[in-house]
Amino acid sequence: MADWKIRRAPAIKSEITVPGDKSISHRAVMLAAMSNGPCVIRGFLTSEDCLCTVSAMRALGIEIETPEPTTLIVHGRKGQFTAPTRDIDCGNSGTTMRLMAGLLAGQPFRSRLVGDASLSKRPMRRVIEPLTQMGARITAEGKDGRPPLLIEGSKLNPIQYVSPVASAQVKSAVLLAGMFAQGKTSVTEPSQSRDHTERMLEYFLVRPQINELTVSIHGGQIPESREFDVPGDISSAAFWLVAAAAHPRSRLLVKNVGLNQTRSGIIKVLLRMGAHVKEVVEVDQAEPMGSIDITGTRMKGTRIEGSEIPNVIDELPILAVAGALAQGKTIIADARELRVKETDRIAAIATNLRAMGAQVLETEDGMEITGGLPLHGARVDSFGDHRIAMAFAIAGLFAEGETTITNTECVSTSYPDFDKQLELVMKESRQPQTPVISHVPH
Ligand code: S3P
């Protein structure tokens, strides 16, 4: 157990890079493992979530070397996996469990996916339904479709699935299963979710067909082994973007960050809130990557709702903090999904913002924040959720007095060195003289 104590900090002036993209890192290992030979993956995110996917692939007989900390060499075996000899532990990672369920549905063996206390409370019916329709037998051992999942793989039939949720995890699970089905599998989503799986399939020379909100794949294709560079994670950059955007004298350049338009909605939201933001795409391999240059301002409130929600779903905790720092109302609606993330993020954000002096009205699918009230330091919990811990560390930079964030170890699921980077950014900005973060191990 470790706590962070955060103190108010003035402006940020810094150039940073952020660790590799979490969603892309998971997919890169999985597709490389399904490919026909060795694949070098550079810039891999070595966070607990992504390392769960690495262990899962190893448990299925895939050899993975790590010549450098963020470089992997994955030896693809043309979609031939061996039966795991024990449970596959997905830790805290919903992406590992849901995507692995898709991959395992078509294997000629049994497997069992387990997770930590938080993952064991998350809904899995959304992947069990379509995979069962394809012919897999999946038993959710928890209540109401919750993990662990016992998967008895079998020969799969292709389906045309219309998903009730805009979820990249559901879409990806169906597409990965579709790789092992005979014929054409399609998945249609209600609005666009992140398209990393489709891009990665294309990059590995497996041709998905994309028609507006429908993605289809012909089963039986083997991905070509290739090298791949993972861009920086815009969802990790989000914390720094808001820290800079909310302070009129801040200037921040984030380099080598992913700029995929199905993920970069935070830039549009911050522009609407009045921040000065410039993005430049520098490389477009499978994923666009470049820099974001941001200058802070006194921000104003905005509405975040509808089809914009899936694009910024992981950024909503830090955007809610931005709302509390902006003048006027910020309304987040149509975001019921937040209730089934690593914690109930609507409740967690509302509780913590209120503890720091903000005015928040919690709704069933979002919240209304009346921004501009001064924040004060408080003792707030992460609720075991990495993005809540980091969002409130940033809130603490704007609060009078000292903010304590409890249970911060969860941050290693996506951003193991966030606290070190916070110290570094503040040192680079040469202010304040006293450290803004200190650690209190228990
Ligand atoms: C992810 C998709 C999103 C996101 C999660 C990662 C992915 O979840 O919140 O952090 O890598 O596909 P949903 O698909 O449940 O919306």
Side-chain angles (χ1 to χ4, degrees), residues 57-288:
M57 300 322 299
R58 285 187 172 136
L60 296 176
I62 301 298
E63 190 198 336
I64 301 177
E65 300 170 69
T66 50
E68 284 167 43
T70 60
T71 302
L72 304 183
I73 306 173
V74 181
H75 294 268
R77 291 183 53 195
K78 299 187 182 168
Q80 304 280 315
F81 297 110
T82 50
T85 52
R86 60 181 91 88
D87 290 350
I88 294 177
D89 187 357
C90 304
N92 190 249
S93 174
T95 307
T96 305
M97 186 168 283
R98 294 189 178 123
L99 270 57
M100 285 303 295
L103 192 146
L104 291 167
Q107 308 307 319
F109 50 74
R110 273 174 148 226
S111 40
R112 188 165 177 269
L113 298 175
V114 299
D116 71 4
S118 153
L119 183 55
S120 300
K121 285 194 215 132
R122 297 182 65 185
M124 293 296 147
R125 274 207 187 116
R126 53 182 65 195
V127 290
I128 296 174
E129 283 257 347
L131 298 175
T132 305
Q133 283 180 28
M134 293 177 84
R137 271 186 299 160
I138 305 185
T139 313
E141 295 175 13
K143 233 172 82 192
D144 299 329
R146 305 291 200 277
L149 299 183
L150 183 65
I151 301 178
E152 300 190 46
S154 65
K155 272 203 164 357
L156 299 181
N157 313 306
I159 56 166
Q160 274 67 56
Y161 187 64
V162 179
S163 173
V165 277
S167 159
Q169 293 178 353
V170 172
K171 174 173 64 179
S172 304
V174 175
L175 292 173
L176 288 174
M179 296 278 290
F180 295 92
Q182 267 185 0
K184 180 171 155 183
T185 297
S186 308
V187 54
T188 303
E189 49 185 350
S191 57
Q192 176 76 56
S193 67
R194 61 192 68 189
D195 66 356
H196 303 306
T197 302
E198 299 89 300
R199 284 171 178 269
M200 187 87 64
L201 285 166
E202 234 164 74
Y203 182 74
F204 278 85
L205 305 181
V206 175
R207 301 264 174 247
Q209 290 159 9
I210 300 167
N211 187 357
E212 293 178 3
L213 295 173
T214 301
V215 188
S216 312
I217 187 107
H218 279 279
Q221 302 182 68
I222 305 290
E224 265 312 309
S225 74
R226 299 197 66 178
E227 298 195 357
F228 186 78
D229 291 305
V230 179
D233 196 326
I234 192 164
S235 300
S236 298
F239 301 103
W240 311 113
L241 294 179
V242 169
H247 199 295
R249 285 186 304 284
S250 283
R251 175 86 191 262
L252 177 73
L253 183 69
V254 187
K255 296 187 291 190
N256 304 338
V257 64
L259 292 170
N260 180 321
Q261 288 191 9
T262 64
R263 286 285 297 287
S264 59
I266 184 171
I267 295 176
K268 288 205 178 91
V269 176
L270 291 177
L271 280 168
R272 282 206 304 274
M273 295 180 87
H276 307 284
V277 195
K278 215 172 79 191
E279 58 178 307
V280 181
V281 174
E282 284 145 10
V283 187
D284 199 346
Q285 202 188 29
E287 290 279 349

